Amino acid sequence: MYSNRRRFLGMALATAAFATVGAAAASAATVEEIKAKGTIVVGIQGDNAPWGFVDSSGKQDGFDADVATLFARELGVKVQFQPLAVANRIPALTTGKVDILFATMAMTEERAKSIQYSKPYAANTISLYAAKADTAKTPADVAGWEIGVPKSSSQDKAITDAVGSTATVRRFDDDASTIQALVSGQVKAVGGNMFYGQRLDAASAGTYERKIDFLTTYNGVGTRLGEKDWNEAVNAFLDKIKANGELAAITKKWMKIDLPTFPESIPNIPFTVK
């Protein structure tokens, strides 16, 4: 569905764009300041279809792009997307280089120490993918394997926690390079989200399959710690699009699934600023 050209374009733009934005003297802005400015800068993934990716015309597209565009409309402003690599997402937010993250941000206790999460608005399953010819039904079966993951991602944590003591975890810059590492034989398996199967099949039809499911994660919108105005604005927006069916429609469009049932709370991950 998505060509190698698109994946590599997204990867290149994510790196170049972050370098460009880093050269600017950006600072954190309030919701009201953004409304007055008329543009919101949204940090998003540029290489992780269908969550966030740059299409062949150079336009940011995907699930998160659609949700973020609705949020900008809710604020009455234009949206400017800033494609980011996995490891750059939180630094871009905390240093004020982006205003907010709609960037496939799986909700983890560790990340909740650095950013404020919204209520969850998407779900994701983290799994092990490998060649059909290789047997892997339990974590014990992958002892001694080299397994690729995007560094600082939810896959990184899930795979490291599950098999990091018996397998070698190799970390790559992003999802595209992790997938390429498996296809090119650099690793024996990868830890991926629920769409890795489609992307691997596009790269080498019929070669790979999902082996082991490790956990289901939930994605939240990322804002800076203590910024109650942003947190309240995002949560009110998410409540609205959950109630009016817009989030369900976007989920069906990109994920081909019904809107998941989201938890009311997750231990040690607050959804609101007190």
Side-chain angles (χ1 to χ4, degrees):
M1 183 178 181
Y2 303 101
S3 67
N4 283 337
R5 180 177 178 272
R6 291 181 181 180
R7 289 200 296 270
F8 291 128
L9 174 62
M11 191 168 51
L13 286 178
T15 301
F18 185 79
T20 300
V21 97
S27 60
T30 67
V31 173
E32 291 305 314
E33 287 171 339
I34 290 301
K35 288 181 179 179
K37 178 183 176 185
T39 302
I40 183 172
V41 181
V42 174
I44 195 166
Q45 286 200 284
D47 72 323
N48 191 11
W51 299 99
F53 63 97
V54 178
D55 69 16
S56 57
S57 66
K59 176 181 175 291
Q60 187 73 48
D61 208 353
F63 174 87
D64 278 327
D66 280 2
V67 178
T69 298
L70 281 183
F71 180 61
R73 187 180 305 162
E74 183 75 10
L75 295 183
V77 300
K78 296 178 181 179
V79 62
Q80 176 185 328
F81 288 112
Q82 183 63 60
L84 300 169
V86 171
N88 289 339
R89 292 175 296 179
I90 290 177
L93 176 68
T94 57
T95 58
K97 292 166 184 166
V98 300
D99 299 312
I100 196 167
L101 293 175
F102 286 82
T104 327
M105 292 300 298
M107 304 171 80
T108 69
E109 290 185 39
E110 188 62 29
R111 287 177 180 167
K113 298 174 184 177
S114 301
I115 64 170
Q116 174 64 52
Y117 279 112
S118 69
K119 298 176 180 180
Y121 70 105
N124 194 6
T125 300
I126 305 302
S127 306
L128 185 82
Y129 293 85
K132 290 182 177 180
D134 294 325
T135 300
K137 296 181 178 179
T138 70
D141 295 331
V142 303
W145 288 24
E146 288 195 344
I147 302 173
V149 296
K151 63 184 177 183
S152 303
S153 65
S154 53
Q155 297 101 288
D156 188 345
K157 178 172 173 51
I159 300 300
T160 301
D161 288 350
V163 299
S165 61
T166 59
T168 299
V169 180
R170 293 188 57 188
R171 295 170 177 85
F172 298 89
D173 286 339
D174 48 39
D175 294 276
S177 56
T178 301
I179 289 170
Q180 184 60 29
L182 177 59
V183 174
S184 64
Q186 297 177 59
V187 296
K188 192 174 179 69
V190 294
N193 63 43
M194 61 188 184
F195 299 104
Y196 265 44
Q198 297 175 20
R199 297 177 69 177
L200 285 165
D201 204 49
S204 183
T207 303
Y208 304 99
E209 65 183 4
R210 191 175 74 196
K211 299 290 188 179
I212 306 168
D213 291 338
F214 290 105
L215 80 161
T216 295
T217 62
Y218 297 95
N219 294 354
V221 180
T223 56
R224 285 173 286 272
L225 291 174
E227 293 190 338
K228 193 171 184 178
D229 59 338
W230 280 107
N231 177 249
E232 289 181 344
V234 172
N235 280 335
F237 161 72
L238 292 176
D239 286 342
K240 178 180 178 179
I241 65 172
K242 287 174 183 177
N244 68 14
E246 288 180 302
L247 184 58
I250 293 172
T251 301
K252 180 68 75 172
K253 172 186 175 181
W254 290 107
M255 312 302 179
K256 315 302 181 188
I257 60 173
D258 293 331
L259 188 68
T261 299
F262 299 113
E264 292 297 321
S265 63
I266 299 176
N268 301 316
I269 303 176
F271 301 164
T272 59
V273 176
K274 301 300 184 183

